[in-house]
Amino acid sequence: MSIPGQWDDAYDRPGAAPWDIGRPQPAFARLAAAGRLRGRVLDAGCGTGEQVLLAAGQGAAATGVDISGRAIAAAERKAAQRGLPATFRVGDALDPAQLGADFDTVLDCGLFHVFDDASRARYV
């Protein structure tokens, strides 16, 4: 399992988290344009929430979970600024039961690769 603080540190200053590009990742934008982000959507390791907000903007019931409280706080600010109904939770993506919900679509943009082999099997 990752240490939450190590991920919080990545959000200390703009540009410190290279995966956070300030907009949805292009692959997810294409999925959204094709109408593939629908129903109950979960973004595991959502960071500052761009994929969640994209899905929410298209009418999906969108939820993001991330171990970084700083990332989740930024995601919540973005949702409020954009007037989008999205749910964000600080939590461990290796424990989806904590969310108390089922999802139709699960997104992962760069989370799987940070786990060791045992955690990858658990995650899947």
Side-chain angles (χ1 to χ4, degrees):
M1 176 161 158
S2 296
I3 300 166
Q6 85 184 51
W7 295 107
D8 278 342
D9 293 346
Y11 295 96
D12 273 347
R13 62 189 187 290
W19 56 86
D20 186 7
I21 62 172
R23 64 185 184 283
Q25 293 288 336
F28 293 108
R30 288 190 297 274
L31 286 173
R36 303 295 300 267
L37 301 181
R38 57 184 180 262
R40 295 181 55 87
V41 174
L42 171 66
D43 185 0
C46 68
T48 64
E50 289 296 338
Q51 277 73 242
V52 176
L53 298 171
L54 174 66
Q58 294 207 330
T63 300
V65 63
D66 201 285
I67 200 164
S68 169
R70 288 185 187 147
I72 292 298
E76 289 172 334
R77 284 191 300 274
K78 288 180 184 182
Q81 290 168 349
R82 298 176 193 180
L84 291 171
T87 301
F88 293 99
R89 302 269 305 271
V90 175
D92 184 352
L94 293 174
D95 183 17
Q98 70 186 321
L99 298 173
D102 293 324
F103 297 92
D104 303 305
T105 304
V106 178
L107 308 176
D108 179 328
C109 184
L111 180 61
F112 180 82
H113 77 279
V114 304
F115 295 132
D116 61 23
D117 288 344
S119 295
R120 286 179 180 157
R122 182 175 162 208
Y123 180 64
V124 171

